[in-house]
Amino acid sequence: MTILPIGDHAATLTLSAADLCGTSPEALSLQETLRLTRQALSTAGMHLPGPLELDAYPDGEGLLLLVRSAPPCQPRPLPVRACRRGRVRRKST
């Protein structure tokens, strides 16, 4: 197993056939893949907060996983607009 961090919110995992415990990469369910991913990241001492997005690329020898975590969203401040001064124009009736 090889783990390469990419910044603070992503990593790549390369899992060999031995890491998959005899299961073929195509037969892994989402839950099994997520369990293996969380286990590998905790073994490496990495913690990706929030929900994970997984991209899996199976091949004959194993599985390449791209793991991304969505960072917590910060609310954007409302833009401050200058007040208009002057006369209010109304439509003529």
Side-chain angles (χ1 to χ4, degrees):
M1 175 185 328
T2 305
I3 302 171
L4 298 171
I6 304 172
D8 293 336
H9 300 284
T12 60
L13 280 75
T14 306
L15 303 172
S16 66
D19 297 326
L20 298 176
C21 304
T23 306
S24 70
E26 294 84 8
L28 279 176
S29 69
L30 178 61
Q31 287 78 18
E32 292 171 331
T33 306
L34 187 58
R35 182 186 58 79
L36 282 171
T37 302
R38 293 274 186 201
Q39 181 182 8
L41 291 174
S42 67
T43 302
M46 291 181 63
H47 175 69
L48 297 179
L52 295 180
E53 179 182 339
L54 301 174
D55 291 327
Y57 300 97
D59 64 0
E61 291 86 35
L63 182 66
L64 172 67
L65 283 171
L66 300 175
V67 183
R68 285 184 293 278
S69 170
C73 294
Q74 298 293 330
R76 292 173 46 179
L78 294 174
V80 178
R81 294 184 181 160
C83 294
R84 283 186 158 182
R85 291 187 166 205
R87 212 172 71 185
V88 177
R89 295 184 184 172
R90 298 186 183 182
K91 290 183 182 178
S92 59
T93 56

